[in-house]
Amino acid sequence: MKNRNQILTLAILGLITACNFSTSVSKDLMTGLSTKGDGLSADEVYISNGDDRITDNTFVYGNQVFTNFENMDGFVIENGKIYPEMQVVVVSKAGDTVLQNANLLGGKAIEGVSANLNGNVTLAAPIYSGDTYLVKYTVTDTKGDGVFTSELELELERDSKIKLNESGLSIKEAYLFNQENRTVITNGQIGFENNVLLDLQGLSGYELLNGSASLGMFVKVIDAKGKVILDLPDLLENRELTETQIQKGLGSTVIIQKGMLANPITWEVKVWDKNSGATLTVKTEVQVK
């Protein structure tokens, strides 16, 4: 019996010795963020908006999502430096790769034996609302074999502050865009003197005649007391548009001058097909500060 116990103990020790303790797997139950390390490890991996941690996996079109890798180590060290690289791939629910970058870190050396790394994705075209996406990061050691991956499945929603009424015409996306700093506005606030675009992407449902579309676009902006800021009966009057021009996007811009104004302002854009009568109305309320 003693010999049998010794043999069993040795077998268990042999099994433990064979395990690879450099491999790790974890999953955040709140966001669904999962990680796997083989040779590389991180003290913590989490998602944020660049400032604050995020505890949900539902985002609005135009949001940025950061994946943060805290205190990554396991890299081969050469002359007191490590050489990590990071790749990001974004895949749609249909399996299409919509975004890919294989060299986010640019192959630069980092002083020390470990590093805090992060990558970020702006959830905008060619990413669209109404779909589910998988965001996958792969961190590699360019001087060794270590690999660390993260995967986040997220849902992207249209900005609920932008209302659509589609009647024959439809769009993939409608959003506010600050043309001063090239960012999507998701908080419903714009600044005085800023050049802001209400952008309509992916219009469909119009009819082509001789290769061209005949569209109209009504634009009206008023403040909370009914003061008219902008009133354009047809921004596209007498213009024939090709499908290529339309797919680059339609929209209207506004620059609010400083002065007496009652918040919020209401911004309405109506597009109609002069060949078929099909229409689309986009309306939003914006605070000017």
Side-chain angles (χ1 to χ4, degrees):
M1 180 64 68
K2 181 178 180 180
N3 288 340
R4 182 181 176 186
N5 288 340
Q6 287 177 335
I7 292 171
L8 181 60
T9 301
L10 288 172
I12 292 172
L13 287 173
L15 178 62
I16 292 174
T17 303
C19 290
N20 183 1
F21 289 100
S22 64
T23 300
S24 62
V25 177
S26 69
K27 186 167 185 175
D28 184 334
L29 297 181
M30 296 185 71
T31 63
L33 176 69
S34 63
T35 63
K36 181 178 180 180
D38 187 359
L40 300 180
S41 64
D43 283 355
E44 186 179 17
V45 182
Y46 62 93
I47 60 174
S48 72
N49 60 12
D51 297 313
D52 303 315
R53 293 192 184 215
I54 296 172
T55 57
D56 193 5
N57 69 335
T58 301
F59 298 85
V60 173
Y61 182 87
N63 282 165
Q64 277 194 317
V65 56
F66 288 74
T67 303
N68 305 273
F69 304 84
E70 295 290 319
N71 195 31
M72 287 206 67
D73 62 14
F75 299 99
V76 173
I77 304 166
E78 291 188 357
N79 300 318
K81 298 178 181 179
I82 58 176
Y83 297 81
E85 190 51 88
M86 180 185 288
Q87 171 183 272
V88 64
V89 177
V90 180
V91 181
S92 70
K93 188 175 182 179
D96 299 320
T97 298
V98 295
L99 185 67
Q100 185 170 13
N101 190 329
N103 305 104
L104 291 175
L105 304 180
K108 296 178 181 178
I110 297 176
E111 295 278 355
V113 299
S114 63
N116 296 329
L117 305 177
N118 68 75
N120 73 87
V121 172
T122 300
L123 302 175
I127 300 169
Y128 293 102
S129 61
D131 203 350
T132 300
Y133 294 91
L134 181 69
V135 180
K136 180 176 180 179
Y137 285 94
T138 302
V139 179
T140 55
D141 183 359
T142 61
K143 302 294 183 180
D145 299 324
V147 178
F148 193 94
T149 61
S150 75
E151 292 189 356
L152 172 69
E153 185 175 89
L154 59 84
E155 296 180 13
L156 191 59
E157 298 178 343
R158 182 173 287 159
D159 188 341
S160 62
K161 293 181 286 296
I162 299 178
K163 309 298 183 182
L164 301 182
N165 186 352
E166 298 171 318
S167 181
L169 295 180
S170 60
I171 52 174
K172 281 187 176 181
E173 209 69 61
Y175 61 95
L176 292 173
F177 187 72
N178 186 329
Q179 299 194 104
E180 306 289 338
N181 58 17
R182 312 300 297 172
T183 59
V184 178
I185 299 167
T186 58
N187 62 0
Q189 297 180 5
I190 65 175
F192 286 105
E193 313 291 345
N194 283 347
N195 189 333
V196 180
L197 168 69
L198 178 51
D199 197 4
L200 313 181
Q201 289 287 330
L203 182 73
S204 61
Y206 51 86
E207 292 184 6
L208 294 175
L209 291 179
N210 300 318
S212 297
S214 183
L215 300 177
M217 180 183 289
F218 162 81
V219 180
K220 191 168 187 177
V221 180
I222 60 174
D223 76 358
K225 292 184 177 180
K227 178 182 176 181
V228 177
I229 299 168
L230 194 64
D231 188 357
L232 300 172
D234 189 357
L235 189 61
L236 300 176
E237 186 176 9
N238 300 322
R239 288 187 61 188
E240 297 291 318
L241 300 174
T242 66
E243 193 156 20
T244 300
Q245 290 174 316
I246 293 171
Q247 292 313 308
K248 287 181 179 179
L250 300 174
S252 77
T253 59
V254 67
I255 300 175
I256 306 295
Q257 306 295 333
K258 289 184 178 179
M260 296 297 293
L261 180 75
N263 274 313
I265 67 167
T266 299
W267 190 347
E268 179 181 356
V269 175
K270 179 180 178 180
V271 181
W272 71 95
D273 182 2
K274 296 175 183 177
N275 293 326
S276 69
T279 64
L280 163 74
T281 302
V282 182
K283 186 181 290 188
T284 186
E285 289 188 349
V286 180
Q287 296 282 335
V288 186
K289 297 187 175 181

